[in-house]
Amino acid sequence: MEPQKRPGGRSARVREAVRQATLAELAEHGYAGLTVENVAERSGVHKTTVYRRWGGIEGLISDALELAGEEPWPIPDTGSIAGDLRGVVQLVRSGFADPELGPVSSAFVAAAVQDPAAAKALHDFFAARHEQSAQVVRRAIERGELPDVVDPSEVIRVAVAPVYYRLFVAHEPVSEHDADRAADAALAAARAGVL
Amino acid sequence: MEPQKRPGGRSARVREAVRQATLAELAEHGYAGLTVENVAERSGVHKTTVYRRWGGIEGLISDALELAGEEPWPIPDTGSIAGDLRGVVQLVRSGFADPELGPVSSAFVAAAVQDPAAAKALHDFFAARHEQSAQVVRRAIERGELPDVVDPSEVIRVAVAPVYYRLFVAHEPVSEHDADRAADAALAAARAGVL
DNA sequence: CTCCAAAGACTACTCCAGTTGCGTTTACCT
DNA sequence: AGGTAAACGCAACTGGAGTAGTCTTTGGAG
């Protein structure tokens, strides 16, 4: 009574096992502590197989990232653009603050800074996120809360950028207040029509 | 006729040679391609000496970063906060776009994402940069261009954040227009009093 | 000028990430 | 069912990062 056989046999099981092991290792040891051997041992798949199919750590990251990108992203709907934008930014902040998800998310960013393949995967990931999150801005435009000249995805970028900047560039702590302020700043700029 | 002897003898020369070699290797091969052996060979200093004094790649990066932090940062003075802010952000953008400085600067960011020591060094670096750049905002407040409730360094952060976000998180290209727009957005938020 | 302590150079070693070649298993196809 | 090609497992090997011990050089002090 195998789970299911149609979408693939052994290979599919191996792939899934490795993906899960990668995420688990990432959560435990972070990106710096991620090794192919540990992933292989945890997944029960042999070391050489991982090297052949994934090519190395970068491949593991890209694959896991692709998996993460398929998961849906909750879009806030508080009724006002102010609340929605704050919701989006807080979601980002809390995601990295989470002791379980945080290290995994951070690992993706870390990997992308070094490996071009991971960078491409992360680029696509964020393109999708921007597109989805921009929904809150489009709704606001329809409601007349914002001028229709604003670029919806640009508002999202400017809103979340300070959080990422603090986390991965300046390496400063990010409080809830910081997140709200970033969202409010993006909103003020959008209202002024500069975005 | 040695350059100068007071500030130290052999050790000082070794340290300087290694620092320069680190920067040169960083510019050529980036952070991913940086190895202790290459730095040692280029500097003419033995491998073991580098390991003993710097401890490894992280130490090399931290040391080079400390050196970079001592260099002065040009503060724009165009007469208006709008021009000054744009100048600050453009300076960031052009720094990373430069074919020589870009890889080095990027390497610092990459290193800091992985190594705590480099992260600390980069944190201090940006703290100093924020403090210096905030000057343009403080002048604007004095001139009455901005309300005196605004947080000068926060305006800087919000202004430059989208550039870094595009470069190192979303991995999107950054145009001059993007940089100007980010500066304008921060200014609009500051005028609205939300920063 | 001579001596000495600190710092660097050198050699040889260890250890582990990544590779290679080959044997074995597995899913799919007729 | 049986055959086959792809995918996986396995063990041995390679290469380079990092370490340890020892010798040599250097810069300063009396």
Side-chain angles (χ1 to χ4, degrees), chain A residues 31 110 112-114 119 122-123 126 130 151 154 157 160-162 164-166 168-172 181 184-185 188-189 192 194-195, chain B residues 31 110 112-114 119 122-123 126 130 151 154 157 160-162 164-166 168-172 181 184-185 188-189 192 194-195:
Chain A
Y31 178 67
V113 174
Q114 297 207 336
L122 198 64
H123 171 84
F126 275 102
H130 291 157
D151 178 345
E154 187 63 18
R157 265 186 280 254
V160 301
Y164 286 100
Y165 175 72
R166 277 194 156 87
F168 297 107
V169 180
H171 296 274
E172 303 171 1
R181 187 160 56 168
D184 294 349
V194 301
L195 288 183
Chain B
Y31 177 67
V113 175
Q114 298 205 337
L122 199 64
H123 170 84
F126 275 102
H130 291 158
D151 178 346
E154 186 64 16
R157 265 186 281 254
V160 301
Y164 286 100
Y165 175 71
R166 277 193 156 88
F168 298 105
V169 180
H171 295 276
E172 301 171 3
R181 187 160 56 168
D184 295 348
V194 301
L195 287 183

Short mmCIF file of all heavy atoms in Angstrom, two decimals, chain A residues 31 110 112-114 119 122-123 126 130 151 154 157 160-162 164-166 168-172 181 184-185 188-189 192 194-195, chain B residues 31 110 112-114 119 122-123 126 130 151 154 157 160-162 164-166 168-172 181 184-185 188-189 192 194-195:
data_model
loop_
_atom_site.label_atom_id
_atom_site.label_comp_id
_atom_site.label_asym_id
_atom_site.label_seq_id
_atom_site.Cartn_x
_atom_site.Cartn_y
_atom_site.Cartn_z
N TYR A 31 21.82 27.69 7.35
CA TYR A 31 22.48 27.49 6.05
C TYR A 31 23.95 27.16 6.21
O TYR A 31 24.50 26.30 5.52
CB TYR A 31 22.33 28.74 5.19
CG TYR A 31 23.03 28.64 3.87
CD1 TYR A 31 22.60 27.74 2.91
CD2 TYR A 31 24.13 29.44 3.59
CE1 TYR A 31 23.25 27.64 1.69
CE2 TYR A 31 24.78 29.34 2.37
CZ TYR A 31 24.34 28.45 1.42
OH TYR A 31 24.99 28.35 0.23
N ALA A 110 20.41 33.72 2.32
CA ALA A 110 21.86 33.53 2.39
C ALA A 110 22.37 32.77 1.16
O ALA A 110 23.39 33.13 0.58
CB ALA A 110 22.23 32.78 3.66
N ALA A 112 21.03 32.58 -1.78
CA ALA A 112 20.86 33.34 -3.02
C ALA A 112 21.94 34.39 -3.21
O ALA A 112 22.25 34.78 -4.34
CB ALA A 112 19.49 33.99 -3.04
N VAL A 113 22.52 34.84 -2.11
CA VAL A 113 23.57 35.84 -2.20
C VAL A 113 24.85 35.24 -2.78
O VAL A 113 25.70 35.93 -3.30
CB VAL A 113 23.84 36.46 -0.81
CG1 VAL A 113 25.02 37.41 -0.86
CG2 VAL A 113 22.61 37.19 -0.32
N GLN A 114 24.97 33.94 -2.68
CA GLN A 114 26.20 33.29 -3.13
C GLN A 114 26.04 32.51 -4.41
O GLN A 114 26.97 32.40 -5.20
CB GLN A 114 26.69 32.34 -2.04
CG GLN A 114 27.03 33.06 -0.77
CD GLN A 114 28.07 32.32 -0.01
OE1 GLN A 114 28.23 31.12 -0.16
NE2 GLN A 114 28.80 33.02 0.83
N ALA A 119 19.73 32.34 -6.54
CA ALA A 119 19.30 33.72 -6.75
C ALA A 119 18.14 33.76 -7.74
O ALA A 119 17.16 34.49 -7.54
CB ALA A 119 20.46 34.57 -7.25
N LEU A 122 15.07 32.45 -6.03
CA LEU A 122 14.53 33.42 -5.09
C LEU A 122 13.87 34.59 -5.82
O LEU A 122 12.85 35.12 -5.37
CB LEU A 122 15.64 33.93 -4.16
CG LEU A 122 15.16 34.60 -2.87
CD1 LEU A 122 14.43 33.59 -1.99
CD2 LEU A 122 16.33 35.19 -2.09
N HIS A 123 14.46 34.98 -6.92
CA HIS A 123 13.87 36.04 -7.74
C HIS A 123 12.45 35.66 -8.16
O HIS A 123 11.52 36.46 -8.01
CB HIS A 123 14.74 36.28 -8.97
CG HIS A 123 14.12 37.20 -9.98
ND1 HIS A 123 14.21 38.57 -9.89
CD2 HIS A 123 13.37 36.94 -11.08
CE1 HIS A 123 13.54 39.11 -10.89
NE2 HIS A 123 13.03 38.15 -11.63
N PHE A 126 10.05 35.75 -5.20
CA PHE A 126 9.60 37.08 -4.79
C PHE A 126 8.71 37.73 -5.85
O PHE A 126 7.81 38.50 -5.52
CB PHE A 126 10.78 37.98 -4.46
CG PHE A 126 11.25 37.82 -3.05
CD1 PHE A 126 12.37 37.06 -2.76
CD2 PHE A 126 10.54 38.39 -2.01
CE1 PHE A 126 12.78 36.89 -1.45
CE2 PHE A 126 10.95 38.23 -0.70
CZ PHE A 126 12.08 37.47 -0.42
N HIS A 130 5.26 39.26 -4.75
CA HIS A 130 4.89 40.65 -5.02
C HIS A 130 3.55 40.71 -5.74
O HIS A 130 2.68 41.51 -5.41
CB HIS A 130 5.96 41.32 -5.89
CG HIS A 130 7.26 41.54 -5.19
ND1 HIS A 130 8.44 41.69 -5.84
CD2 HIS A 130 7.54 41.62 -3.85
CE1 HIS A 130 9.42 41.87 -4.95
NE2 HIS A 130 8.90 41.82 -3.74
N ASP A 151 1.97 52.15 -8.60
CA ASP A 151 2.41 50.82 -9.04
C ASP A 151 2.22 49.87 -7.86
O ASP A 151 2.96 49.94 -6.88
CB ASP A 151 3.89 50.91 -9.44
CG ASP A 151 4.45 49.56 -9.86
OD1 ASP A 151 3.82 48.52 -9.58
OD2 ASP A 151 5.53 49.54 -10.47
N GLU A 154 5.16 47.92 -6.54
CA GLU A 154 6.20 48.80 -6.01
C GLU A 154 5.88 49.23 -4.57
O GLU A 154 6.78 49.37 -3.74
CB GLU A 154 6.37 50.03 -6.91
CG GLU A 154 7.54 50.92 -6.53
CD GLU A 154 8.89 50.22 -6.68
OE1 GLU A 154 8.96 49.18 -7.37
OE2 GLU A 154 9.87 50.69 -6.09
N ARG A 157 6.99 46.42 -2.41
CA ARG A 157 8.44 46.40 -2.26
C ARG A 157 8.92 47.43 -1.24
O ARG A 157 9.71 47.13 -0.34
CB ARG A 157 9.11 46.69 -3.61
CG ARG A 157 9.50 45.45 -4.37
CD ARG A 157 10.28 45.82 -5.61
NE ARG A 157 9.38 46.23 -6.68
CZ ARG A 157 9.09 45.50 -7.75
NH1 ARG A 157 9.66 44.33 -7.89
NH2 ARG A 157 8.27 45.93 -8.65
N VAL A 160 7.97 46.39 2.42
CA VAL A 160 8.71 45.30 3.08
C VAL A 160 10.22 45.51 3.10
O VAL A 160 10.92 44.92 3.93
CB VAL A 160 8.40 43.94 2.42
CG1 VAL A 160 6.91 43.63 2.49
CG2 VAL A 160 8.91 43.87 0.99
N ALA A 161 10.71 46.35 2.19
CA ALA A 161 12.16 46.50 2.06
C ALA A 161 12.87 46.84 3.38
O ALA A 161 13.91 46.24 3.68
CB ALA A 161 12.50 47.55 0.99
N PRO A 162 12.35 47.79 4.17
CA PRO A 162 13.06 48.12 5.40
C PRO A 162 13.22 46.94 6.35
O PRO A 162 14.23 46.85 7.07
CB PRO A 162 12.20 49.22 6.03
CG PRO A 162 11.53 49.87 4.86
CD PRO A 162 11.23 48.73 3.92
N TYR A 164 13.59 43.70 5.48
CA TYR A 164 14.69 42.90 4.95
C TYR A 164 16.03 43.60 5.11
O TYR A 164 17.05 42.97 5.39
CB TYR A 164 14.43 42.58 3.47
CG TYR A 164 13.37 41.55 3.24
CD1 TYR A 164 12.08 41.91 2.88
CD2 TYR A 164 13.65 40.19 3.37
CE1 TYR A 164 11.10 40.96 2.65
CE2 TYR A 164 12.69 39.23 3.15
CZ TYR A 164 11.41 39.62 2.79
OH TYR A 164 10.44 38.68 2.57
N TYR A 165 16.00 44.90 4.90
CA TYR A 165 17.23 45.68 5.03
C TYR A 165 17.80 45.54 6.44
O TYR A 165 18.99 45.29 6.61
CB TYR A 165 16.94 47.14 4.70
CG TYR A 165 18.12 48.06 4.91
CD1 TYR A 165 19.20 48.04 4.05
CD2 TYR A 165 18.12 48.96 5.97
CE1 TYR A 165 20.28 48.90 4.25
CE2 TYR A 165 19.19 49.83 6.17
CZ TYR A 165 20.26 49.79 5.31
OH TYR A 165 21.32 50.64 5.50
N ARG A 166 16.95 45.70 7.42
CA ARG A 166 17.42 45.56 8.79
C ARG A 166 17.92 44.15 9.07
O ARG A 166 18.95 43.97 9.72
CB ARG A 166 16.27 45.87 9.76
CG ARG A 166 16.04 47.32 10.05
CD ARG A 166 15.13 47.44 11.26
NE ARG A 166 15.29 48.70 11.95
CZ ARG A 166 14.63 49.80 11.65
NH1 ARG A 166 13.77 49.80 10.65
NH2 ARG A 166 14.82 50.90 12.33
N PHE A 168 18.99 41.62 6.93
CA PHE A 168 20.07 40.99 6.17
C PHE A 168 21.18 41.92 5.73
O PHE A 168 22.19 41.46 5.22
CB PHE A 168 19.47 40.28 4.95
CG PHE A 168 18.53 39.19 5.31
CD1 PHE A 168 17.17 39.34 5.13
CD2 PHE A 168 19.00 38.00 5.86
CE1 PHE A 168 16.29 38.33 5.49
CE2 PHE A 168 18.14 37.00 6.22
CZ PHE A 168 16.78 37.16 6.03
N VAL A 169 21.00 43.21 5.88
CA VAL A 169 22.05 44.13 5.45
C VAL A 169 22.65 44.85 6.67
O VAL A 169 23.83 44.70 6.96
CB VAL A 169 21.52 45.14 4.43
CG1 VAL A 169 22.62 46.09 4.00
CG2 VAL A 169 20.94 44.42 3.22
N ALA A 170 21.80 45.58 7.38
CA ALA A 170 22.30 46.33 8.52
C ALA A 170 22.43 45.45 9.77
O ALA A 170 23.11 45.79 10.72
CB ALA A 170 21.40 47.51 8.82
N HIS A 171 21.74 44.29 9.76
CA HIS A 171 21.78 43.36 10.88
C HIS A 171 21.38 44.03 12.18
O HIS A 171 22.08 43.97 13.19
CB HIS A 171 23.18 42.71 11.00
CG HIS A 171 23.53 41.88 9.82
ND1 HIS A 171 23.17 40.56 9.70
CD2 HIS A 171 24.17 42.19 8.67
CE1 HIS A 171 23.60 40.09 8.54
NE2 HIS A 171 24.20 41.06 7.89
N GLU A 172 20.23 44.70 12.10
CA GLU A 172 19.63 45.30 13.27
C GLU A 172 18.38 44.51 13.63
O GLU A 172 17.77 43.88 12.77
CB GLU A 172 19.21 46.76 12.96
CG GLU A 172 20.33 47.64 12.49
CD GLU A 172 19.80 48.99 12.00
OE1 GLU A 172 18.58 49.22 12.07
OE2 GLU A 172 20.62 49.81 11.54
N ARG A 181 5.79 50.94 10.96
CA ARG A 181 6.26 52.22 10.45
C ARG A 181 6.65 52.10 8.99
O ARG A 181 6.38 53.00 8.19
CB ARG A 181 7.44 52.70 11.29
CG ARG A 181 7.90 54.09 10.95
CD ARG A 181 8.70 54.72 12.05
NE ARG A 181 9.87 53.90 12.44
CZ ARG A 181 10.85 54.36 13.21
NH1 ARG A 181 10.79 55.59 13.69
NH2 ARG A 181 11.87 53.59 13.53
N ASP A 184 3.49 52.06 7.01
CA ASP A 184 2.89 53.40 6.99
C ASP A 184 3.63 54.33 6.05
O ASP A 184 3.03 55.17 5.38
CB ASP A 184 2.88 53.99 8.41
CG ASP A 184 1.97 53.21 9.35
OD1 ASP A 184 1.20 52.37 8.84
OD2 ASP A 184 2.05 53.43 10.58
N ALA A 185 4.96 54.18 6.02
CA ALA A 185 5.76 55.04 5.15
C ALA A 185 5.43 54.77 3.69
O ALA A 185 5.27 55.70 2.89
CB ALA A 185 7.25 54.79 5.41
N ALA A 188 2.11 56.32 2.92
CA ALA A 188 2.18 57.77 2.78
C ALA A 188 2.73 58.17 1.42
O ALA A 188 2.24 59.10 0.77
CB ALA A 188 3.05 58.36 3.90
N ALA A 189 3.75 57.44 0.98
CA ALA A 189 4.34 57.72 -0.33
C ALA A 189 3.35 57.43 -1.45
O ALA A 189 3.25 58.18 -2.43
CB ALA A 189 5.60 56.89 -0.51
N ALA A 192 0.84 60.11 -1.65
CA ALA A 192 1.42 61.31 -2.25
C ALA A 192 1.64 61.12 -3.75
O ALA A 192 2.01 62.06 -4.44
CB ALA A 192 2.74 61.64 -1.56
N VAL A 194 3.92 59.20 -5.30
CA VAL A 194 5.30 59.03 -5.78
C VAL A 194 5.65 57.58 -6.06
O VAL A 194 6.76 57.31 -6.51
CB VAL A 194 6.32 59.62 -4.79
CG1 VAL A 194 6.06 61.09 -4.58
CG2 VAL A 194 6.32 58.86 -3.49
N LEU A 195 4.74 56.65 -5.80
CA LEU A 195 5.03 55.25 -6.08
C LEU A 195 4.17 54.72 -7.23
O LEU A 195 3.17 55.32 -7.58
CB LEU A 195 4.82 54.38 -4.84
CG LEU A 195 5.88 54.54 -3.74
CD1 LEU A 195 5.60 53.59 -2.61
CD2 LEU A 195 7.26 54.24 -4.31
N TYR B 31 33.07 36.73 -3.08
CA TYR B 31 33.16 36.07 -1.79
C TYR B 31 33.22 34.56 -1.92
O TYR B 31 33.97 33.89 -1.22
CB TYR B 31 31.97 36.47 -0.92
CG TYR B 31 31.96 35.78 0.42
CD1 TYR B 31 32.94 36.05 1.36
CD2 TYR B 31 30.98 34.84 0.74
CE1 TYR B 31 32.94 35.42 2.59
CE2 TYR B 31 30.97 34.21 1.96
CZ TYR B 31 31.95 34.50 2.88
OH TYR B 31 31.95 33.87 4.10
N ALA B 110 27.38 39.41 1.58
CA ALA B 110 27.29 37.95 1.51
C ALA B 110 27.93 37.32 2.74
O ALA B 110 27.39 36.37 3.32
CB ALA B 110 27.95 37.45 0.24
N ALA B 112 28.38 38.62 5.68
CA ALA B 112 27.66 38.93 6.92
C ALA B 112 26.43 38.05 7.11
O ALA B 112 25.99 37.83 8.23
CB ALA B 112 27.26 40.39 6.93
N VAL B 113 25.87 37.57 6.00
CA VAL B 113 24.69 36.72 6.10
C VAL B 113 25.05 35.35 6.67
O VAL B 113 24.21 34.65 7.20
CB VAL B 113 24.03 36.58 4.72
CG1 VAL B 113 22.88 35.61 4.77
CG2 VAL B 113 23.53 37.93 4.24
N GLN B 114 26.33 35.01 6.57
CA GLN B 114 26.72 33.68 7.02
C GLN B 114 27.52 33.68 8.31
O GLN B 114 27.44 32.74 9.08
CB GLN B 114 27.56 33.01 5.93
CG GLN B 114 26.79 32.82 4.65
CD GLN B 114 27.36 31.69 3.86
OE1 GLN B 114 28.52 31.34 4.02
NE2 GLN B 114 26.56 31.10 3.01
N ALA B 119 28.84 39.85 10.44
CA ALA B 119 27.57 40.53 10.64
C ALA B 119 27.73 41.67 11.64
O ALA B 119 27.20 42.77 11.42
CB ALA B 119 26.51 39.54 11.14
N LEU B 122 29.60 44.44 9.93
CA LEU B 122 28.76 45.15 8.98
C LEU B 122 27.73 46.02 9.69
O LEU B 122 27.40 47.12 9.24
CB LEU B 122 28.05 44.16 8.05
CG LEU B 122 27.51 44.75 6.75
CD1 LEU B 122 28.64 45.27 5.88
CD2 LEU B 122 26.69 43.73 5.98
N HIS B 123 27.24 45.52 10.80
CA HIS B 123 26.30 46.29 11.61
C HIS B 123 26.93 47.61 12.03
O HIS B 123 26.32 48.69 11.89
CB HIS B 123 25.89 45.48 12.84
CG HIS B 123 25.11 46.27 13.85
ND1 HIS B 123 23.76 46.45 13.75
CD2 HIS B 123 25.50 46.95 14.94
CE1 HIS B 123 23.35 47.21 14.75
NE2 HIS B 123 24.39 47.53 15.50
N PHE B 126 27.30 49.99 9.06
CA PHE B 126 26.07 50.68 8.67
C PHE B 126 25.59 51.67 9.73
O PHE B 126 25.00 52.69 9.39
CB PHE B 126 24.97 49.68 8.34
CG PHE B 126 25.04 49.19 6.92
CD1 PHE B 126 25.57 47.95 6.63
CD2 PHE B 126 24.62 50.00 5.87
CE1 PHE B 126 25.68 47.52 5.31
CE2 PHE B 126 24.72 49.57 4.56
CZ PHE B 126 25.25 48.32 4.28
N HIS B 130 24.73 55.35 8.63
CA HIS B 130 23.44 55.97 8.90
C HIS B 130 23.63 57.30 9.62
O HIS B 130 23.01 58.30 9.29
CB HIS B 130 22.58 55.04 9.77
CG HIS B 130 22.12 53.80 9.05
ND1 HIS B 130 21.74 52.66 9.71
CD2 HIS B 130 22.00 53.53 7.74
CE1 HIS B 130 21.40 51.74 8.82
NE2 HIS B 130 21.55 52.25 7.62
N ASP B 151 12.68 60.97 12.52
CA ASP B 151 13.90 60.30 12.95
C ASP B 151 14.88 60.30 11.77
O ASP B 151 14.68 59.58 10.79
CB ASP B 151 13.55 58.86 13.35
CG ASP B 151 14.78 58.06 13.76
OD1 ASP B 151 15.92 58.49 13.49
OD2 ASP B 151 14.59 56.99 14.35
N GLU B 154 16.23 57.07 10.41
CA GLU B 154 15.18 56.20 9.89
C GLU B 154 14.82 56.60 8.47
O GLU B 154 14.51 55.75 7.62
CB GLU B 154 13.93 56.25 10.79
CG GLU B 154 12.84 55.27 10.41
CD GLU B 154 13.28 53.82 10.56
OE1 GLU B 154 14.29 53.56 11.24
OE2 GLU B 154 12.62 52.95 9.97
N ARG B 157 17.37 54.99 6.29
CA ARG B 157 17.11 53.57 6.15
C ARG B 157 16.02 53.29 5.12
O ARG B 157 16.17 52.45 4.23
CB ARG B 157 16.71 52.96 7.49
CG ARG B 157 17.87 52.34 8.25
CD ARG B 157 17.36 51.63 9.49
NE ARG B 157 17.10 52.58 10.56
CZ ARG B 157 17.88 52.73 11.62
NH1 ARG B 157 18.95 51.99 11.78
NH2 ARG B 157 17.59 53.62 12.54
N VAL B 160 17.21 54.03 1.46
CA VAL B 160 18.15 53.10 0.80
C VAL B 160 17.66 51.66 0.78
O VAL B 160 18.10 50.86 -0.06
CB VAL B 160 19.55 53.15 1.46
CG1 VAL B 160 20.13 54.55 1.39
CG2 VAL B 160 19.51 52.64 2.89
N ALA B 161 16.75 51.33 1.68
CA ALA B 161 16.32 49.94 1.81
C ALA B 161 15.85 49.31 0.50
O ALA B 161 16.24 48.18 0.19
CB ALA B 161 15.23 49.81 2.88
N PRO B 162 15.02 50.00 -0.31
CA PRO B 162 14.56 49.36 -1.54
C PRO B 162 15.68 48.97 -2.49
O PRO B 162 15.58 47.98 -3.21
CB PRO B 162 13.64 50.42 -2.17
CG PRO B 162 13.14 51.20 -1.01
CD PRO B 162 14.30 51.27 -0.07
N TYR B 164 18.80 48.01 -1.61
CA TYR B 164 19.39 46.78 -1.07
C TYR B 164 18.43 45.61 -1.23
O TYR B 164 18.85 44.49 -1.52
CB TYR B 164 19.74 46.97 0.41
CG TYR B 164 20.96 47.82 0.64
CD1 TYR B 164 20.85 49.16 1.00
CD2 TYR B 164 22.24 47.29 0.50
CE1 TYR B 164 21.97 49.94 1.22
CE2 TYR B 164 23.37 48.06 0.72
CZ TYR B 164 23.23 49.38 1.07
OH TYR B 164 24.33 50.15 1.27
N TYR B 165 17.17 45.87 -1.03
CA TYR B 165 16.18 44.81 -1.16
C TYR B 165 16.20 44.22 -2.56
O TYR B 165 16.20 43.01 -2.75
CB TYR B 165 14.79 45.37 -0.84
CG TYR B 165 13.66 44.39 -1.06
CD1 TYR B 165 13.49 43.32 -0.21
CD2 TYR B 165 12.77 44.56 -2.12
CE1 TYR B 165 12.44 42.43 -0.40
CE2 TYR B 165 11.73 43.68 -2.31
CZ TYR B 165 11.57 42.62 -1.45
OH TYR B 165 10.54 41.73 -1.66
N ARG B 166 16.21 45.10 -3.55
CA ARG B 166 16.26 44.62 -4.92
C ARG B 166 17.53 43.85 -5.21
O ARG B 166 17.53 42.81 -5.87
CB ARG B 166 16.17 45.80 -5.89
CG ARG B 166 14.78 46.29 -6.19
CD ARG B 166 14.84 47.23 -7.40
NE ARG B 166 13.58 47.31 -8.08
CZ ARG B 166 12.62 48.15 -7.77
NH1 ARG B 166 12.78 48.98 -6.75
NH2 ARG B 166 11.49 48.18 -8.47
N PHE B 168 19.84 42.33 -3.07
CA PHE B 168 20.25 41.15 -2.30
C PHE B 168 19.13 40.24 -1.86
O PHE B 168 19.38 39.16 -1.34
CB PHE B 168 21.06 41.59 -1.08
CG PHE B 168 22.31 42.32 -1.44
CD1 PHE B 168 22.41 43.69 -1.28
CD2 PHE B 168 23.39 41.63 -1.97
CE1 PHE B 168 23.57 44.36 -1.62
CE2 PHE B 168 24.54 42.28 -2.33
CZ PHE B 168 24.64 43.65 -2.16
N VAL B 169 17.90 40.67 -2.02
CA VAL B 169 16.79 39.81 -1.59
C VAL B 169 15.98 39.36 -2.81
O VAL B 169 15.90 38.17 -3.10
CB VAL B 169 15.89 40.53 -0.58
CG1 VAL B 169 14.75 39.63 -0.14
CG2 VAL B 169 16.71 40.97 0.64
N ALA B 170 15.41 40.32 -3.51
CA ALA B 170 14.58 39.95 -4.67
C ALA B 170 15.43 39.67 -5.89
O ALA B 170 14.96 39.08 -6.86
CB ALA B 170 13.58 41.07 -4.97
N HIS B 171 16.67 40.12 -5.88
CA HIS B 171 17.58 39.91 -7.00
C HIS B 171 17.00 40.44 -8.31
O HIS B 171 16.95 39.74 -9.32
CB HIS B 171 17.96 38.43 -7.12
CG HIS B 171 18.73 37.93 -5.95
ND1 HIS B 171 20.08 38.06 -5.83
CD2 HIS B 171 18.31 37.35 -4.80
CE1 HIS B 171 20.47 37.55 -4.67
NE2 HIS B 171 19.40 37.10 -4.03
N GLU B 172 16.58 41.70 -8.23
CA GLU B 172 16.09 42.41 -9.40
C GLU B 172 17.11 43.49 -9.77
O GLU B 172 17.85 43.96 -8.91
CB GLU B 172 14.76 43.10 -9.09
CG GLU B 172 13.67 42.15 -8.64
CD GLU B 172 12.44 42.92 -8.14
OE1 GLU B 172 12.44 44.16 -8.20
OE2 GLU B 172 11.50 42.27 -7.67
N ARG B 181 13.15 57.04 -7.08
CA ARG B 181 11.80 56.82 -6.56
C ARG B 181 11.84 56.41 -5.09
O ARG B 181 11.00 56.83 -4.28
CB ARG B 181 11.11 55.74 -7.40
CG ARG B 181 9.67 55.56 -7.06
CD ARG B 181 8.90 54.87 -8.17
NE ARG B 181 9.46 53.58 -8.55
CZ ARG B 181 8.83 52.70 -9.34
NH1 ARG B 181 7.62 52.98 -9.82
NH2 ARG B 181 9.39 51.57 -9.65
N ASP B 184 12.47 59.51 -3.12
CA ASP B 184 11.27 60.34 -3.09
C ASP B 184 10.21 59.77 -2.15
O ASP B 184 9.50 60.52 -1.47
CB ASP B 184 10.69 60.46 -4.51
CG ASP B 184 11.62 61.21 -5.45
OD1 ASP B 184 12.60 61.82 -4.96
OD2 ASP B 184 11.38 61.18 -6.68
N ALA B 185 10.12 58.46 -2.13
CA ALA B 185 9.13 57.82 -1.26
C ALA B 185 9.45 58.10 0.20
O ALA B 185 8.56 58.43 1.00
CB ALA B 185 9.09 56.32 -1.53
N ALA B 188 8.54 61.66 0.99
CA ALA B 188 7.10 61.85 1.13
C ALA B 188 6.62 61.37 2.49
O ALA B 188 5.80 62.02 3.14
CB ALA B 188 6.37 61.11 0.01
N ALA B 189 7.15 60.24 2.93
CA ALA B 189 6.76 59.70 4.23
C ALA B 189 7.23 60.61 5.35
O ALA B 189 6.51 60.84 6.33
CB ALA B 189 7.34 58.30 4.41
N ALA B 192 5.07 63.59 5.58
CA ALA B 192 3.78 63.23 6.18
C ALA B 192 3.92 62.98 7.68
O ALA B 192 2.93 62.78 8.38
CB ALA B 192 3.20 62.01 5.49
N VAL B 194 5.39 60.39 9.23
CA VAL B 194 5.29 59.00 9.70
C VAL B 194 6.66 58.38 9.98
O VAL B 194 6.74 57.22 10.38
CB VAL B 194 4.51 58.11 8.70
CG1 VAL B 194 3.13 58.65 8.48
CG2 VAL B 194 5.26 57.97 7.39
N LEU B 195 7.74 59.11 9.72
CA LEU B 195 9.07 58.54 10.00
C LEU B 195 9.74 59.28 11.17
O LEU B 195 9.37 60.39 11.51
CB LEU B 195 9.95 58.60 8.75
CG LEU B 195 9.60 57.61 7.65
CD1 LEU B 195 10.60 57.72 6.51
CD2 LEU B 195 9.65 56.18 8.19
#
